[in-house]
Amino acid sequence: MRMPSIKFQSGDTVMGRWPGSSLFYEVKVLSYDAKSQLYTVIYKDGTELELREADMKNPTGFKPSRRSRSRSPSRRRSRSRSPARTTRRSSSRTVSGTFIAETHTARKEPKLKEALEVRLIPVAKPVENNSNNKHENKEGNDTSDKVNEKPADVETDKKIVESRYNLRRRKDDGDAKPAEQTEEVEQKPAVATAPITTELEFGGRLGVFCMTLLLPATVLGLMVVCGQKDASLMSSPPLPSLDSLWDLQVFGIVVLWLLFQALLYVLPVGKVVEGMPLKNGDRLKYRMNTLHAFVLTVAALGAAVHQEVDLSYIHNHFLQLAVSSLLCSVLLSVYLYVRSRWATQDQLAPGGNSGSVIYDFFMGSELNPRIKGFDLKYFCELRPGLIGWLVINAAMALAEMKLHHLDYPSPAMILVNCFHLLYVLDAYLHEEGVLSYMDITHDGFGFMLAFGDLMWVPFTFSLQAYYLVHHPNHLSLPWIVGIVTLNVIGFCIFRKANSQKNAFRRNPSDPTLSHLKTIPTATGKSLLVSGLWGLVRHPNYLGDLIMALAWSLPCGFTHILPYFYVIYLSILLVHREARDEAQCRRKYGSAWDDYCREVRYRIIPRVY
Ligand SMILES: NC(=O)C1=CN([C@@H]2O[C@H](COP(=O)(O)OP(=O)(O)OC[C@H]3O[C@@H](n4cnc5c(N)ncnc54)[C@H](OP(=O)(O)O)[C@@H]3O)[C@@H](O)[C@H]2O)C=CC1
Ligand SMILES: CC(C)=CCC[C@@H](C)[C@H]1CC=C2C3=C(CC[C@@]21C)[C@@]1(C)CC[C@H](O)C(C)(C)[C@@H]1CC3
């Protein structure tokens, strides 16, 4: 069928611009939509886009780039769609000669905003991750793959993307805008906008409302039961008195603790690194000094103990400390919710923009709330709660010694303390990796994380140590060896999986990963499909769960309470895996399905 009187016809091979760049690839015209005046074209790697005529040219006037690197046009996408780059970048790569550099120099970008609809259809086959077969952008500020030609200036690039393109879904996704609506789109500033959250998690508004009330009650309930002689969940201990829950002095101590950690956070020590690219292409800066903060805290506490400060105060005021932390997390969440009302669209998290007060309060509306560079979410995620957890553990060891007149903590208490210390130190030693975790890159900062970081982590993660104070458990040497071995296995899987993924994301050409197979995706990123990431789809979760079991075993088998952490983590990680799965399927489309076919189990090999 011939098309209307237009420049290009279906079946023509022409050069199509890649969104946001001055790069042209060979494309085949599939169809033309007269209403939207867009051509649907297909790139050689199977990527389909819709382009305006102005972004398509006859092949004459183009020359093939002399370099021939295996790089799919679609892999340019993440770069070209990220307007604000802090690095300059190359513009001459080829996919078996299909990626062509424009021969014109100093091309002027028209000021017109143009509509572009995007649909990516990846061609995904596992490939060896060797240096001749790269499918992936280097994440971060890597400039080592720069080649000649017009390096795109940050601002110029931003303007090009903002003024030339409005990326939106294709018609066949069901919400294409007719031509009249395109006008409307063009009138808005061309910045990334946060979509309204329609798919509500955690049982929606009612679910999060219940969780907001039940989670704090659960922590307090567990703590009360744990302090009883009979730590059975079926026991019904007397309700704690108001006095045992609240003390102004204790509240003051918690506030001082937060301020002290905040002070350590702003110390100008440690390198500053950039986080993952945000929706608008910017990268926030983070100072990596959690380890410094930890060491200084230990030094300060050591000095305090030397001055005869009694750390068993923590054990004696455990409930009051928890209630004060809860109050701080509620106040913080209210502040976060209120300030999110003034946040710009591109500062909002995808999951916390539903318009429902309770839902957005719980999930967190703003992705990276900052006060003059002080990142509230990142601060809370790694510092007051995690260091607080270790301090509580140490206080429990002292309380155990005091209560049972011991010269040293029991072997069970030492194991629990050492395992937890290793886990937290590992996070600090690999602090940069945390910047790519879901909580930082995807989840908003609201009650769930504020409460999780400030109350849940320190007071439920330390339950095993608290339990051991009142329920000593003798461990034989074989048990000790067995438990230590289990923790080492879990830790190695956890660390290796996280390190492999982080290294691969930072530099897919990393020679230490060259033996691993990968699946390319249309976004330009690849997926690891062998090694630990070929065993299950979340090997890091598997390692985490094995460690969790090793942390509970020192407490014996008399009560289920010390196993609370394993139960919590299993539920959280299964749910998290499902969330991540949905995100990855959206992001990677059929390449993700191929990965799932290749790696059948999610967390536990041959089981789940
Ligand atoms: N102790 C606790 O309470 C908790 C601990 N954790 C731990 O935190 C850590 C971080 O967890 P989380 O942020 O949930 O998830 P991950 O660190 O596993 O990140 C998931 C992301 O990894 C990338 N990815 C997935 N599969 C592959 C693959 N095959 N190859 C390359 N990249 C892949 C995808 O992102 P992309 O492709 O965009 O890079 C995906 O979105 C984990 O180790 C977890 O165990 C988590 C929650 C609670
Ligand atoms: C429902 C509910 C109680 C939600 C709160 C969940 C949070 C407690 C967790 C979500 C992800 C977390 C992570 C860590 C601690 C627990 C929370 C905040 C973590 C910082 C622990 C240390 C690890 O090494 C880690 C850095 C991998 C980890 C990151 C995720």
Side-chain angles (χ1 to χ4, degrees), residues 60-186:
T60 47
F62 287 85
K63 66 171 193 305
S65 163
R66 260 164 279 140
R67 283 169 183 267
S68 180
R69 296 271 296 265
S70 176
R71 197 165 150 126
S72 122
S74 57
R75 53 171 306 212
R76 302 287 313 169
R77 191 172 73 114
S78 58
R79 284 178 175 243
S80 53
R81 282 176 73 176
S82 299
R85 294 277 161 209
T86 48
T87 52
R88 298 178 159 235
R89 73 192 79 103
S90 67
S91 54
S92 170
R93 292 287 169 121
T94 71
V95 190
S96 322
T98 53
F99 191 163
I100 313 291
E102 198 177 9
T103 49
H104 322 290
T105 52
R107 184 191 156 82
K108 277 196 194 124
E109 296 299 334
K111 289 270 165 356
L112 267 179
K113 292 174 184 143
E114 297 169 13
L116 173 81
E117 297 187 332
V118 180
R119 181 180 172 217
L120 299 169
I121 302 174
V123 179
K125 290 190 202 92
V127 291
E128 283 294 332
N129 178 35
N130 59 48
S131 51
N132 295 327
N133 199 355
K134 290 288 159 276
H135 290 260
E136 178 142 355
N137 293 334
K138 286 183 181 183
E139 290 296 308
N141 285 337
D142 177 37
T143 53
S144 60
D145 61 351
K146 254 196 261 180
V147 279
N148 55 0
E149 304 197 23
K150 302 174 280 174
D153 176 273
V154 177
E155 274 311 304
T156 321
D157 201 21
K158 190 168 182 161
K159 274 190 203 132
I160 292 170
V161 175
E162 287 185 358
S163 64
R164 286 190 62 84
Y165 303 103
N166 275 321
L167 298 170
R168 58 190 167 86
R169 288 198 292 154
R170 268 169 55 95
K171 281 182 288 305
D172 48 5
D173 286 348
D175 65 353
K177 310 271 184 300
E180 310 87 78
Q181 286 184 12
T182 309
E183 284 292 307
E184 196 187 298
V185 170
E186 286 171 7

Side-chain angles (χ1 to χ4, degrees), residues 398-602:
L398 289 175
E400 185 200 45
M401 286 161 62
K402 215 169 163 180
L403 193 70
H404 302 286
H405 312 289
L406 301 171
D407 292 333
Y408 302 100
S410 66
M413 181 66 94
I414 293 176
L415 286 191
V416 165
N417 265 265
C418 290
F419 292 164
H420 293 181
L421 177 67
L422 174 71
Y423 191 63
V424 175
L425 280 185
D426 172 75
Y428 292 173
L429 288 167
H430 300 92
E431 193 180 349
E432 257 180 76
V434 177
L435 298 177
S436 70
Y437 292 162
M438 207 191 277
D439 317 74
I440 305 295
T441 58
H442 182 266
D443 293 342
F445 193 31
F447 180 76
M448 182 176 78
L449 278 183
F451 159 80
D453 293 336
L454 301 183
M455 189 191 191
W456 186 270
V457 168
F459 296 96
T460 64
F461 288 22
S462 60
L463 277 180
Q464 287 139 355
Y466 187 43
Y467 176 88
L468 285 172
V469 176
H470 301 280
H471 310 88
N473 183 46
H474 173 74
L475 285 180
S476 64
L477 191 61
W479 263 108
I480 295 177
V481 173
I483 292 171
V484 170
T485 310
L486 191 67
N487 194 65
V488 169
I489 293 172
F491 179 76
C492 290
I493 298 175
F494 171 83
R495 176 55 19 235
K496 189 154 188 196
N498 278 326
S499 292
Q500 263 185 359
K501 192 196 65 173
N502 294 340
F504 183 65
R505 283 285 174 253
R506 255 197 315 278
N507 176 13
S509 318
D510 190 329
T512 61
L513 305 173
S514 60
H515 59 290
L516 295 177
K517 282 186 181 165
T518 60
I519 286 184
T521 76
T523 66
K525 283 177 169 181
S526 300
L527 293 166
L528 288 168
V529 74
S530 69
L532 282 174
W533 292 87
L535 182 71
V536 284
R537 301 209 284 271
H538 270 97
N540 46 356
Y541 291 1
L542 174 68
D544 221 343
L545 287 172
I546 295 175
M547 278 191 284
L549 183 62
W551 299 355
S552 304
L553 289 174
C555 302
F557 301 101
T558 322
H559 289 115
I560 186 115
L561 207 144
Y563 291 82
F564 174 78
Y565 179 76
V566 198
I567 298 166
Y568 140 78
L569 197 66
S570 307
I571 297 171
L572 185 97
L573 293 183
V574 165
H575 178 251
R576 213 170 157 92
E577 199 279 335
R579 292 173 77 201
D580 191 48
E581 180 102 2
Q583 274 172 43
C584 287
R585 180 154 291 115
R586 259 198 305 272
K587 232 182 324 184
Y588 300 127
S590 61
W592 184 259
D593 293 331
D594 288 339
Y595 175 54
C596 294
R597 264 192 296 278
E598 195 90 9
V599 183
R600 290 198 28 226
Y601 294 97
R602 295 160 194 262

